[in-house]
Coordinates of all heavy atoms in Angstrom, one line a residue:
Y28 N 13.4 6.5 -11.8 CA 13.3 7.6 -10.8 C 13.8 8.9 -11.4 O 13.2 10.0 -11.1 CB 14.2 7.2 -9.6 CG 14.0 8.2 -8.4 CD1 12.8 8.4 -7.9 CD2 15.2 8.8 -8.0 CE1 12.7 9.3 -6.8 CE2 15.0 9.7 -6.9 CZ 13.8 10.0 -6.3 OH 13.6 10.9 -5.3
L29 N 14.8 8.9 -12.2 CA 15.3 10.1 -12.8 C 14.2 10.7 -13.7 O 14.0 11.9 -13.7 CB 16.6 9.9 -13.6 CG 17.8 9.5 -12.7 CD1 19.0 9.1 -13.6 CD2 18.2 10.7 -11.8
K30 N 13.6 9.9 -14.5 CA 12.5 10.3 -15.3 C 11.3 10.9 -14.5 O 10.7 11.9 -14.9 CB 12.0 9.2 -16.2 CG 12.9 8.8 -17.3 CD 12.4 7.6 -18.1 CE 13.3 7.2 -19.2 NZ 12.8 6.0 -20.0
F31 N 11.0 10.2 -13.4 CA 10.0 10.7 -12.5 C 10.3 12.1 -12.0 O 9.4 13.0 -12.0 CB 9.8 9.7 -11.3 CG 8.9 10.2 -10.3 CD1 7.5 10.1 -10.4 CD2 9.4 10.8 -9.1 CE1 6.7 10.6 -9.4 CE2 8.6 11.2 -8.1 CZ 7.2 11.1 -8.2
L32 N 11.5 12.3 -11.5 CA 11.9 13.6 -10.9 C 11.8 14.7 -12.0 O 11.4 15.8 -11.7 CB 13.3 13.5 -10.4 CG 13.6 12.7 -9.1 CD1 15.0 12.7 -8.8 CD2 12.8 13.3 -8.0
W33 N 12.1 14.4 -13.2 CA 12.0 15.4 -14.3 C 10.6 15.8 -14.6 O 10.4 17.0 -14.9 CB 12.7 14.7 -15.6 CG 12.6 15.7 -16.7 CD1 11.8 15.7 -17.8 CD2 13.6 16.8 -17.0 NE1 12.1 16.7 -18.7 CE2 13.2 17.4 -18.2 CE3 14.7 17.3 -16.3 CZ2 13.8 18.5 -18.7 CZ3 15.3 18.3 -16.8 CH2 14.9 19.0 -18.0
S34 N 9.7 14.9 -14.4 CA 8.3 15.2 -14.8 C 7.4 15.5 -13.6 O 6.2 16.0 -13.8 CB 7.7 14.1 -15.6 OG 7.8 12.9 -15.0
A35 N 7.8 15.2 -12.4 CA 7.0 15.3 -11.2 C 6.9 16.8 -10.7 O 7.7 17.6 -11.1 CB 7.5 14.4 -10.1
T36 N 5.9 17.1 -10.0 CA 5.7 18.4 -9.4 C 5.3 18.4 -8.0 O 5.4 17.3 -7.3 CB 4.6 19.2 -10.3 OG1 4.5 20.5 -9.8 CG2 3.2 18.5 -10.1
N37 N 4.9 19.5 -7.4 CA 4.4 19.5 -6.0 C 3.0 20.1 -6.1 O 2.4 20.1 -7.2 CB 5.3 20.4 -5.1 CG 5.6 21.8 -5.7 OD1 4.8 22.3 -6.4 ND2 6.7 22.3 -5.3
Q38 N 2.5 20.6 -5.0 CA 1.1 21.1 -5.0 C 0.9 22.3 -5.9 O -0.3 22.5 -6.3 CB 0.7 21.5 -3.5 CG 1.3 22.8 -3.0 CD 2.7 22.6 -2.3 OE1 3.4 21.7 -2.6 NE2 3.0 23.5 -1.5
H39 N 1.9 23.0 -6.3 CA 1.8 24.2 -7.2 C 1.4 23.8 -8.6 O 1.0 24.7 -9.4 CB 3.0 25.0 -7.1 CG 3.4 25.5 -5.8 ND1 2.6 26.4 -5.1 CD2 4.5 25.3 -5.0 CE1 3.1 26.6 -3.9 NE2 4.3 26.0 -3.8
G40 N 1.6 22.6 -9.0 CA 1.3 22.1 -10.3 C -0.1 21.4 -10.3 O -0.4 20.8 -11.4
V41 N -0.9 21.5 -9.2 CA -2.1 20.8 -9.1 C -3.3 21.8 -9.2 O -3.3 22.8 -8.3 CB -2.2 20.0 -7.8 CG1 -3.6 19.4 -7.7 CG2 -1.1 18.9 -7.8
H42 N -4.2 21.7 -10.1 CA -5.3 22.6 -10.2 C -6.7 22.0 -9.7 O -7.7 22.7 -9.5 CB -5.5 23.1 -11.6 CG -4.2 23.7 -12.1 ND1 -3.8 24.9 -11.6 CD2 -3.4 23.4 -13.1 CE1 -2.7 25.3 -12.3 NE2 -2.4 24.4 -13.2
S43 N -6.7 20.7 -9.5 CA -7.9 20.1 -9.0 C -8.0 20.3 -7.5 O -7.1 20.0 -6.7 CB -7.8 18.5 -9.2 OG -8.7 17.8 -8.4
P44 N -9.1 20.9 -7.0 CA -9.3 21.2 -5.6 C -9.1 19.9 -4.7 O -8.5 19.9 -3.7 CB -10.7 21.8 -5.5 CG -10.9 22.4 -6.8 CD -10.2 21.5 -7.8
F45 N -9.8 18.8 -5.2 CA -9.7 17.6 -4.4 C -8.3 17.1 -4.3 O -7.8 16.8 -3.2 CB -10.5 16.5 -5.1 CG -10.4 15.1 -4.6 CD1 -11.0 14.8 -3.4 CD2 -9.6 14.2 -5.2 CE1 -10.8 13.5 -2.8 CE2 -9.4 12.9 -4.6 CZ -10.0 12.6 -3.5
V46 N -7.5 17.1 -5.4 CA -6.2 16.6 -5.3 C -5.3 17.6 -4.6 O -4.4 17.2 -3.8 CB -5.6 16.3 -6.8 CG1 -4.1 15.9 -6.7 CG2 -6.5 15.3 -7.5
F47 N -5.5 18.9 -4.8 CA -4.7 19.9 -4.1 C -4.8 19.7 -2.6 O -3.8 19.8 -1.8 CB -5.1 21.3 -4.5 CG -4.4 22.4 -3.8 CD1 -3.2 22.8 -4.3 CD2 -4.9 23.0 -2.6 CE1 -2.4 23.8 -3.7 CE2 -4.2 24.0 -2.0 CZ -2.9 24.4 -2.5
N48 N -6.1 19.5 -2.1 CA -6.3 19.3 -0.6 C -5.6 18.0 -0.2 O -5.0 18.0 0.9 CB -7.8 19.3 -0.3 CG -8.4 20.7 -0.4 OD1 -7.7 21.7 -0.2 ND2 -9.7 20.8 -0.7
L49 N -5.7 17.0 -1.0 CA -5.1 15.7 -0.6 C -3.6 15.9 -0.5 O -3.0 15.4 0.5 CB -5.4 14.7 -1.6 CG -4.8 13.3 -1.4 CD1 -5.5 12.6 -0.2 CD2 -5.0 12.4 -2.6
V50 N -3.0 16.6 -1.4 CA -1.6 16.7 -1.4 C -1.1 17.6 -0.2 O -0.2 17.3 0.5 CB -1.1 17.4 -2.7 CG1 0.4 17.8 -2.6 CG2 -1.3 16.4 -3.9
T51 N -1.8 18.7 0.0 CA -1.3 19.7 1.0 C -1.7 19.3 2.4 O -0.9 19.5 3.4 CB -1.9 21.1 0.7 OG1 -3.3 21.0 0.7 CG2 -1.3 21.7 -0.6
K52 N -2.9 18.6 2.6 CA -3.4 18.3 3.9 C -3.1 16.9 4.4 O -3.2 16.6 5.5 CB -4.9 18.6 4.0 CG -5.3 20.0 3.8 CD -6.8 20.2 3.8 CE -7.2 21.6 3.6 NZ -8.6 21.8 3.6
C53 N -2.6 16.1 3.4 CA -2.4 14.7 3.7 C -0.9 14.3 3.3 O -0.1 14.0 4.2 CB -3.4 13.8 3.1 SG -3.1 12.0 3.2
L54 N -0.7 14.3 2.0 CA 0.7 13.8 1.6 C 1.8 14.6 2.1 O 2.8 14.1 2.5 CB 0.7 13.8 0.1 CG -0.4 13.0 -0.7 CD1 -0.1 12.9 -2.2 CD2 -0.5 11.6 -0.1
Y55 N 1.6 16.0 2.3 CA 2.6 16.9 2.7 C 2.4 17.3 4.2 O 3.0 18.2 4.7 CB 2.6 18.1 1.9 CG 3.2 18.0 0.5 CD1 3.2 19.0 -0.4 CD2 3.9 16.8 0.1 CE1 3.8 18.8 -1.7 CE2 4.4 16.6 -1.1 CZ 4.4 17.6 -2.0 OH 5.0 17.5 -3.3
D56 N 1.5 16.6 4.9 CA 1.2 16.9 6.3 C 2.5 16.6 7.1 O 3.0 15.5 7.2 CB 0.1 16.0 6.7 CG -0.4 16.3 8.2 OD1 0.2 17.2 8.8 OD2 -1.2 15.6 8.7
K57 N 3.0 17.7 7.8 CA 4.2 17.6 8.6 C 3.9 17.4 10.1 O 4.8 17.4 10.9 CB 5.0 18.8 8.4 CG 5.4 19.1 7.0 CD 6.3 18.0 6.4 CE 6.7 18.3 5.0 NZ 7.4 17.1 4.4
T58 N 2.6 17.2 10.5 CA 2.3 16.9 11.9 C 3.0 15.7 12.4 O 3.1 14.7 11.8 CB 0.8 16.7 12.0 OG1 0.1 17.8 11.4 CG2 0.4 16.6 13.5
K59 N 3.5 15.8 13.6 CA 4.2 14.7 14.3 C 3.2 14.0 15.1 O 3.1 14.2 16.3 CB 5.4 15.2 15.1 CG 6.5 15.9 14.3 CD 7.7 16.3 15.2 CE 8.8 17.0 14.3 NZ 9.9 17.4 15.2

Side-chain angles (χ1 to χ4, degrees):
Y28 186 59
L29 292 175
K30 290 180 180 179
F31 170 82
L32 289 177
W33 179 259
S34 56
T36 184
N37 54 25
Q38 73 271 26
H39 300 298
V41 175
H42 302 294
S43 162
F45 171 78
V46 177
F47 180 84
N48 286 332
L49 179 69
V50 172
T51 56
K52 297 179 180 180
C53 174
L54 304 186
Y55 286 175
D56 183 4
K57 301 300 181 184
T58 304
K59 294 182 179 179

